[in-house]
Amino acid sequence: MSTLVPHISEEEIWQRAEAVFSAMEARSTLEEMDMMRRAYQLAHDAHANQKRKTGEPYIIHPIAVALIVAEEMNLGAAPVCAAFLHDVVEDTPYTEDDIRERFGDDVAFLVRVVTKQKKARYDMTAQLDNFKKMLDSMHYDVRAILIKLADRLHNMRTMEFMTPAKQKEKSRETMDIYAPIAQRLGISKIKTELDDLSLK
C-alpha cells in the first residue's frame, strides 16, 4: 500500500495555482485573469478543511484539473474557473446561485453540468446518471465534457491511493465511458493516457 504524500505548504499550493495563471496569461484579458484568481480563491476557501485520500489538501485536485484544462486542452477562462470550482457545489455549502452571482451564467452553467446531482434514486449509477446529464448538455456546450475528462484524468493519475476495488471500478468506468468520449472528441493523447492508466 502506498504511503501518504508529504505535507504540502500553502506556498506550494499557491505556486501550483500560479502555474494555471501563467498558462492563461497570454490569451486572457485582465478581467478574465481576475475572474480566474477569484475562482481559485473561492475554491481554496471552500475546500479549506478538506483532504484528498492522498492526504493532500483537497484544493490540490481542482488546481490540477484547472491546469489540465488550461495547458493540455487550451480552453478559455470560463472553463478554467469551472475547473477550479467543479466540486464546490457538490462538496461545500456554496450553491449554483452563489457561483452565478460571483462569476456569471457561463461559469455557473459549466459547474452545474459537471456537478453530480444528489438524488434519492438514480436512473442508473450516480456516475452514469451524471454522465447522461452531461451528454444531454453537449449540444449546448462540449466544454463541460472536457472539464469532466480533465477531472477523471487527474483522478486516474492519483488512483494509487484508492482501494483495489475502487481502482478496478474507476478503471472499468474510464475504459467504457471516458476514453471513448475522448477518442470521439479527437483528443487522442488523453484517450491513450486514460486507457494506459486504466489497464495499469
Side-chain angles (χ1 to χ4, degrees):
M1 185 74 174
S2 300
T3 56
L4 295 184
V5 296
H7 172 74
I8 296 177
S9 68
E10 279 295 321
E11 181 180 359
E12 185 176 345
I13 291 171
W14 174 246
Q15 286 171 352
R16 294 188 189 197
E18 275 289 302
V20 180
F21 305 138
S22 295
M24 295 301 295
E25 203 160 17
R27 62 179 191 268
S28 304
T29 66
L30 291 176
E31 291 79 7
E32 287 171 335
M33 292 301 298
D34 176 67
M35 182 172 71
M36 287 184 283
R37 287 191 169 94
R38 288 188 292 109
Y40 160 71
Q41 193 60 55
L42 177 59
H44 179 278
D45 295 345
H47 293 299
N49 298 316
Q50 298 173 347
K51 301 277 188 189
R52 299 196 79 213
K53 288 184 174 67
T54 60
E56 298 171 313
Y58 194 86
I59 189 61
I60 292 298
H61 171 63
I63 292 170
V65 175
L67 190 61
I68 293 168
V69 166
E71 272 192 346
E72 298 182 46
M73 295 180 168
N74 292 305
L75 298 181
V80 169
C81 289
F84 278 131
L85 299 166
H86 77 274
D87 282 330
V88 164
V89 173
E90 186 177 339
D91 295 337
T92 82
Y94 286 95
T95 66
E96 183 187 337
D97 287 339
D98 293 327
I99 303 300
R100 181 175 293 102
E101 183 181 326
R102 289 166 171 80
F103 304 102
D105 290 338
D106 195 25
V107 173
F109 165 78
L110 291 171
V111 171
R112 173 170 58 80
V113 172
V114 300
T115 298
K116 288 197 286 290
Q117 300 298 305
K118 296 178 176 69
K119 294 184 179 181
R121 188 183 71 80
Y122 294 97
D123 296 336
M124 299 162 279
T125 66
Q127 188 67 39
L128 289 176
D129 207 64
N130 178 235
F131 211 88
K132 181 180 181 297
K133 180 181 62 145
M134 285 192 295
L135 291 174
D136 289 343
S137 79
M138 278 186 75
H139 63 286
Y140 297 113
D141 202 325
V142 75
R143 296 175 302 167
I145 298 293
L146 294 172
I147 295 166
K148 197 64 183 174
L149 283 171
D151 179 30
R152 176 51 60 110
L153 181 57
H154 183 248
N155 282 329
M156 294 297 290
R157 285 172 176 175
T158 56
M159 195 169 56
E160 70 269 20
F161 295 95
M162 297 179 188
T163 65
K166 184 61 75 172
Q167 288 184 34
K168 287 180 183 176
E169 177 191 331
K170 294 294 182 186
S171 295
R172 173 56 61 192
E173 204 172 71
T174 298
M175 286 193 293
D176 288 349
I177 301 173
Y178 289 87
I181 290 288
Q183 183 172 27
R184 180 66 62 90
L185 294 174
I187 318 170
S188 57
K189 182 175 179 292
I190 288 176
K191 189 266 183 191
T192 300
E193 185 175 356
L194 287 171
D195 277 337
D196 290 346
L197 290 167
S198 298
L199 290 169
K200 188 172 92 173

